[in-house]
Amino acid sequence: MRNLINILDLTTEEIEELIAVANDIIANPAKYSEKCRGKKLATLFFEPSTRTRLSFESAMYELGGNVIGFSAAQNSSAAKGESVADTAKTISCYADIIAMRHPKEGAPLVAAMNSTIPVINAGDGGHNHPTQTLTDLLTINREKGRFNNLTVGLCGDLKFGRTVHSLITALSRYSGIKFVLISPEELKLPSYVKKDILQKNNIEYVQTTSLEEYMPELDILYMTRVQRERFFNEEDYLRLKDSYILTMDKLATAKSDLTIMHPLPRVNEISVDIDNDPRACYFKQVLYGKFIRMALILKLLEVE
Ligand code: CP
């Protein structure tokens, strides 16, 4: 039985197979409409979500399966003090696969250790978000056609932004990747990601506070929101929240084939007038998230 807790739980070959299946689902959706008939997905969301939870649920319905679950901790027996381990043992009696989001880093791993069905990490605190990374990789595959030889700007909250940590981990397995890490001093990439991923794999990177300086070099610009829910102090959030706002003016020096990504939700980081620019890919990302999660459910349920 396989789980997906960290993006490194999948080999590059397995990720490329998932992308191939997702592309086939996009081309031939009817072929997949009965693949999970009789199967149940449990979505256990202890933290708010729009895209991840609803794309998992859409994915399972479009595979012909069913969905059970809860969308907030207070709607579950966690509110009465039940542990993640006991929740996982319980849900194993009702469903075939679990997608779990939790504010505590490592909670989906604890669930996997106590579950008899596959567990997917749908985001754990400021740690990882591997299915967002699969979404991002499918987007890059469809927009750029390659994962090698890309200069990727990551901008915003690189400290608490779990999607950034997982994407850096995944792309560091490819050659010719350069990261431009754009953040305020207080929201720099955690040193464990720099040490264990970037330095260990000899990945080229620069750290800067200036988006404008590096804009002309970028093939991909991955904007992120400042993660209000991870701050200890509201004053710090208010001071940092608008550190980077992407506007049409700032895109003046960008490549004509720049791919602009954002895991969403957006607060102020991208001006809405950019949404109609052909380089804006963040709503395509939303759609691709459903297809790659369909491919992942099929893989973890070992459906042919
Ligand atoms: N990208 C993402 O995880 O969005 P949600 O928080 O809406 O699931």
Side-chain angles (χ1 to χ4, degrees), residues 136-137 139-141 143-155 167 171 177-180 182 211 214-223 251 254-255 257-262 279 281 285:
D136 299 341
L137 293 175
T139 307
I140 295 170
N141 167 267
E143 294 299 314
K144 293 284 185 239
R146 67 182 196 282
F147 297 125
N148 294 318
N149 303 318
L150 291 168
T151 299
V152 182
L154 300 154
C155 180
L167 184 59
L171 286 176
I177 291 287
K178 176 179 173 181
F179 291 110
V180 180
I182 308 153
L211 173 58
Y214 287 92
M215 185 68 88
E217 284 187 34
L218 304 179
D219 298 304
I220 294 170
L221 173 58
Y222 193 96
M223 297 296 295
L251 283 177
K255 290 185 180 174
D257 66 346
L258 174 71
T259 299
I260 305 169
M261 300 172 66
H262 190 310
R279 293 169 289 188
C281 291
Q285 261 173 286

Side-chain angles (χ1 to χ4, degrees), residues 48-53 101 129 132 263-265:
S49 167
T50 296
R51 277 146 293 274
T52 310
R53 185 173 67 84
R101 171 169 291 186
H129 194 346
Q132 180 64 46
L264 305 182

Side-chain angles (χ1 to χ4, degrees), residues 268-280:
N268 276 329
E269 311 77 52
I270 302 180
S271 168
V272 290
D273 59 355
I274 292 177
D275 295 1
N276 293 325
D277 188 292
R279 293 169 289 188

Side-chain angles (χ1 to χ4, degrees), residues 2-6 9 41-45 52 56 96-102 107-109 111-112 115 117-124 129-132 134 292-301:
R2 297 280 299 273
N3 303 295
L4 177 62
I5 304 301
N6 183 303
D9 293 341
L41 165 74
T43 51
L44 312 184
F45 277 62
T52 310
F56 263 117
D96 300 285
I97 186 165
I98 291 171
M100 175 188 278
R101 171 169 291 186
H102 202 286
L109 176 62
S115 169
I117 59 177
V119 175
I120 300 169
N121 177 3
D124 62 329
H129 194 346
T131 66
Q132 180 64 46
L134 292 175
I292 200 75
R293 289 181 175 105
M294 288 171 78
L296 180 65
I297 290 168
L298 290 173
K299 180 174 178 63
L300 296 185
L301 288 179

